[in-house]
Amino acid sequence: MRTESHTQLIEQSLDTLWRPFTQHALGQKPMVIVEGHGYTVVDSEGNEYLDAMAGLWCVNVGYGQEQLIAAGARQLRTLPYSPATRPAPPSLELALRLAEVLPGDLNHIQFLNSGSEAVETALKVARQYARQQFPGQNRYKIIARYRGYHGWSGGALGATGQTARKAAFEPLAPGYIHVRPPDLFQLFGGMTPQQASDQLLRELEEVIEFEGPETIAAFIGEPIIGGGGVIVPPEDYWPRVRDLLRQHGILLIFDEVITGFGRTGKMFGAEQWNVVPDIMTMAKGISSAYIPLAATAVTDAVFDAFKGAPGENKQFNQVSTYGGHPVACAVGLANLAVIQEQGLVENAARMGERLLGGLRELIAEHPLAGDARGKGLICGVELVKPGTREPLEPGKVNQVMAAAQQRGVLLGKNSSTVPRLETVLTIAPPLIIDQPGIDRLIDALDAALGAVEGRA
Ligand code: PLP
């Protein structure tokens, strides 16, 4: 499509397409992306950008991977659809391939279409598991973390700990309890990581005691909080949380919608801490977002709790029309093959180190950059008022993003989460990024910070 026709299309659809997070009263035009190549995208005006967010933390294999395209086209011709109750071969094969790469005995997989649905499924599985495993108890509560994000649908939003995403729709379903996240920069400044995790574990133990373990089904968390501001926990946090939950019969759900499929420099975030959750959710990188696909995996023990005699009604009664879609699963298989064949997990680890190294140098040079953190290719830079840990004014954060965009790099930000704390620039490029790409990203952010600080 030619540029003039894009301009017309954008103007005509301005209020017809109701866009997320957009105040339509302002009449602002969206940036419209028309093409993607590798780790870059092109907008409707012909500008090329390094996509430092891989779309929305999801185009892990980068744009234009022919294997994914061919696999989708082939499956569309062979069989475009079959319901999950009569599963097509790609869903059988993808379940097997995933069971091979998932940590521990996460050997049983359901397919969904979005991260939110994968989380809804995980929450339902946890509640039914608890009822079947602990007859006579009413374990329905879910513990989650402030600043965490788990999706837009009812249950997933209940678990989300971001007031800006929730307030307009509350009250949501009861039964969600939030605890503090391992945010070492804002919440535990001055403490060592060890002291912070001691404190967090004490708090979690108190919450479990006061709520009553026999009322709690599960704890859900992102191994690294992503959209909430890239919050990386202390090394001992997850192993200790895991042990504490186990002592009380509470399931651990890892929401790996962002951290899965190589993002952190391991295939799954869980592997960073050698912690195997009872339930894991996946989406985004599972198909590199070439097509909607998500999954929820459970361990042998969780799966076994759903076995019973006919009539006991212990099976999991849920079907999604598009869950296990043959075309999506065929693309998912090709995506996994590309991640493995092209060594993208290893590349994410290597490039991630260079990215974080570069970001830490920026912290040393720029008074607006207060903290740089991350693992692999999921990084955040928290912007502050110079010389403090106080969050920078929102207008200035937007200026930094705009200045980076002018220099050809699209960054992300933890927008519409917890209003005072929305000053974290987020960086999660496609896992195919190379050294020139990392240099380009760092140079653009360096120049953007300098421009807003009034140095350029
Ligand atoms: N869980 C996490 C950790 C996410 O980051 C997201 C989306 O960003 C979701 C769940 C929801 O996924 P979706 O937008 O595909 O429903």
Side-chain angles (χ1 to χ4, degrees):
M1 213 184 264
R2 294 196 329 274
T3 300
E4 313 89 76
S5 57
H6 285 136
T7 309
Q8 204 181 28
L9 195 58
I10 293 165
E11 272 163 19
Q12 282 174 347
S13 64
L14 204 56
D15 278 351
T16 311
L17 179 65
W18 192 347
R19 285 168 280 134
F21 308 120
T22 301
Q23 180 41 264
H24 277 260
L26 301 178
Q28 283 168 343
K29 291 182 191 158
M31 170 187 273
V32 172
I33 300 294
V34 295
E35 281 176 31
H37 308 279
Y39 54 77
T40 62
V41 291
V42 180
D43 74 9
S44 57
E45 289 168 15
N47 303 305
E48 192 238 24
Y49 302 96
L50 189 158
D51 181 5
M53 276 300 289
L56 269 180
W57 331 72
C58 53
V59 187
N60 286 17
V61 298
Y63 300 91
Q65 290 273 9
E66 286 299 332
Q67 261 178 269
L68 277 69
I69 299 161
R74 219 171 21 243
Q75 188 58 42
L76 275 166
R77 279 192 207 98
T78 311
L79 177 71
Y81 179 73
S82 185
T85 45
R86 287 194 299 273
S91 64
L92 309 179
E93 201 181 334
L94 184 57
L96 289 171
R97 293 286 89 76
L98 287 176
E100 279 168 16
V101 295
L102 280 162
D105 63 343
L106 288 161
N107 290 327
H108 313 277
I109 293 144
Q110 300 185 50
F111 291 114
L112 293 307
N113 316 291
S114 68
S116 300
E117 291 170 68
V119 169
E120 295 294 339
T121 302
L123 299 173
K124 287 167 71 179
V125 165
R127 283 189 175 169
Q128 187 175 341
Y129 166 87
R131 296 220 163 97
Q132 291 173 183
Q133 200 65 9
F134 301 99
Q137 295 185 2
N138 184 20
R139 287 180 177 254
Y140 70 97
K141 292 176 192 166
I142 306 291
I143 305 179
R145 278 104 46 90
Y146 290 113
R147 301 193 74 179
Y149 183 67
H150 299 292
W152 47 264
S153 52
L157 194 58
T160 292
Q162 303 177 348
T163 181
R165 300 274 171 119
K166 299 172 72 161
F169 320 111
E170 284 173 326
L172 296 162
Y176 294 91
I177 301 149
H178 289 87
V179 294
R180 294 201 292 170
D183 172 3
L184 299 192
F185 188 69
Q186 287 296 345
L187 293 180
F188 301 100
M191 279 193 194
T192 65
Q194 175 77 48
Q195 287 167 331
S197 57
D198 285 351
Q199 172 93 23
L200 285 162
L201 264 291
R202 249 193 322 274
E203 285 178 18
L204 180 57
E205 200 162 12
E206 282 167 7
V207 167
I208 292 171
E209 187 194 341
F210 288 137
E211 293 289 336
E214 70 290 349
T215 70
I216 304 170
F219 177 107
I220 185 168
E222 301 155 83
I224 295 172
I225 289 178
V230 187
I231 297 171
V232 185
E235 283 306 309
D236 64 344
Y237 174 81
W238 281 123
R240 291 175 69 187
V241 169
R242 212 291 156 259
D243 285 349
L244 180 62
L245 297 177
R246 196 171 267 147
Q247 283 166 32
H248 294 286
I250 299 167
L251 295 181
L252 174 62
I253 305 171
F254 265 172
D255 182 350
E256 295 243 18
V257 166
I258 287 179
T259 51
F261 300 93
R263 174 60 56 200
T264 71
K266 301 263 190 198
M267 186 61 94
F268 294 97
E271 295 167 50
Q272 296 286 358
W273 296 279
N274 287 319
V275 165
V276 180
D278 302 289
I279 304 178
M280 186 193 283
T281 60
M282 296 155 260
K284 297 190 189 271
I286 193 175
S287 61
S288 290
Y290 276 51
I291 194 160
L293 178 63
T296 302
V298 306
T299 58
D300 293 342
V302 172
F303 185 68
D304 286 346
F306 288 75
K307 290 179 180 163
E312 273 192 286
N313 219 17
K314 282 189 159 181
Q315 69 282 359
F316 190 57
N317 290 328
Q318 171 181 293
V319 66
S320 155
T321 301
Y322 302 129
H325 196 284
V327 179
C329 289
V331 172
L333 279 166
N335 178 67
L336 191 54
V338 165
I339 290 176
Q340 290 174 324
E341 286 161 19
Q342 298 185 5
L344 298 187
V345 180
E346 298 75 16
N347 193 58
R350 248 189 336 266
M351 289 302 129
E353 261 179 43
R354 296 182 189 179
L355 174 61
L356 191 56
L359 295 175
R360 288 197 169 131
E361 281 174 28
L362 296 188
I363 298 301
E365 289 164 27
H366 291 280
L368 292 188
D371 190 34
R373 50 190 186 247
K375 231 181 224 318
L377 288 173
I378 170 173
C379 288
V381 176
E382 186 145 354
L383 301 185
V384 293
K385 294 181 182 158
T388 74
R389 288 191 178 206
E390 251 183 80
L392 186 65
E393 298 86 347
K396 285 204 172 155
V397 180
N398 292 337
Q399 281 174 26
V400 175
M401 292 185 68
Q405 184 176 321
Q406 273 165 16
R407 289 160 179 80
V409 171
L410 295 179
L411 299 170
K413 187 183 84 139
N414 62 333
S415 308
S416 304
T417 56
V418 178
R420 191 176 64 83
L421 300 173
E422 291 167 2
T423 68
V424 183
L425 300 177
T426 57
I427 302 171
L431 310 188
I432 53 161
I433 199 160
D434 51 14
Q435 187 63 50
I438 298 287
D439 292 342
R440 180 173 162 191
L441 207 163
I442 297 284
D443 289 349
L445 182 53
D446 187 15
L449 287 165
V452 177
E453 285 161 353
R455 296 204 219 165

